[in-house]
């Protein structure tokens, strides 16, 4: 079961409408947002659209290799990694990209290396039609691990 959120800007306040779609049905290709209801990261990846799954698996493997001691869980409907009880990174599936959410410090620090990708305050988008920059993602996660270690002291 997928829950798809569609954002409408027809009123002064944006409205979010939910539509339930079963996996054997066609999901709404006009919506860039995919909200997957899952209790584990394995279930999240399995429920994602077929063309997104390899990217999600790759992101998961990179994050796990860069931070093997981090805990995996689902939070806010997305895969989350925590280290020492604090959020390390999130990742999520979208219609045309996958995103990681390392927070603003990582994006500010690695701004030059991230110039080829769409970023916002705490998000980095990787298009589905391009390879995931594994070394860059690994550097981002390791930066967050160092940042967490410094906060722990």
């Amino acid at each position: 079961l997928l829950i798809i959120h569609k954002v409408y800007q027809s009123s002064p306040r944006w409205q979010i409408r939910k539509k339930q779609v079963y996996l054997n049905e066609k999901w709404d290709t006009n919506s860039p947002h995919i909200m997957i209801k899952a209790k584990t990261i394995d279930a999240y990846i399995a429920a994602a659209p077929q063309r997104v799954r390899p990217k999600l698996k790759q992101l998961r493997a990179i994050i796990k290799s860069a931070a093997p001691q981090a805990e995996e869980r689902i939070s806010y409907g997305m895969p989350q990694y925590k280290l020492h009880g604090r959020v390390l990174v999130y990742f999520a599936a979208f219609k045309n990209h996958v995103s990681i959410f390392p927070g603003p410090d990582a994006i500010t620090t690695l701004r030059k290396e991230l110039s080829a990708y769409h970023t916002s305050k705490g998000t980095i988008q990787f298009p589905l039609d391009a390879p995931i920059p594994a070394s860059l993602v690994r550097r981002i996660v390791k930066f967050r691990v160092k940042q967490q270690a410094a906060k722990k002291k």
Side-chain angles (χ1 to χ4, degrees), residues 78 90-92 94 97-108 111 114 117-126 140:
M78 298 182 290
Y90 288 88
F91 69 86
F94 294 87
H97 66 277
V98 291
S99 288
I100 62 168
F101 304 84
D105 294 341
I107 292 169
T108 304
R111 180 145 321 273
L114 294 169
Y117 304 97
H118 184 269
T119 61
S120 65
K121 185 176 179 180
T123 308
I124 305 161
Q125 296 179 2
F126 301 113
I140 291 165

Side-chain angles (χ1 to χ4, degrees), residues 54-73:
K55 301 288 184 179
L56 295 175
K57 288 177 183 176
Q58 186 181 8
L59 278 175
R60 182 184 194 187
I62 295 166
I63 294 167
K64 285 173 82 171
S65 72
Q69 67 280 24
E71 305 171 33
E72 289 186 322
R73 58 181 260 171

Side-chain angles (χ1 to χ4, degrees), residues 6-17 32-33:
K6 198 165 196 175
V7 178
Y8 295 89
Q9 298 177 3
S10 57
S11 65
R13 292 184 137 176
W14 289 12
Q15 298 174 352
I16 297 177
R17 304 233 169 103
H33 309 285

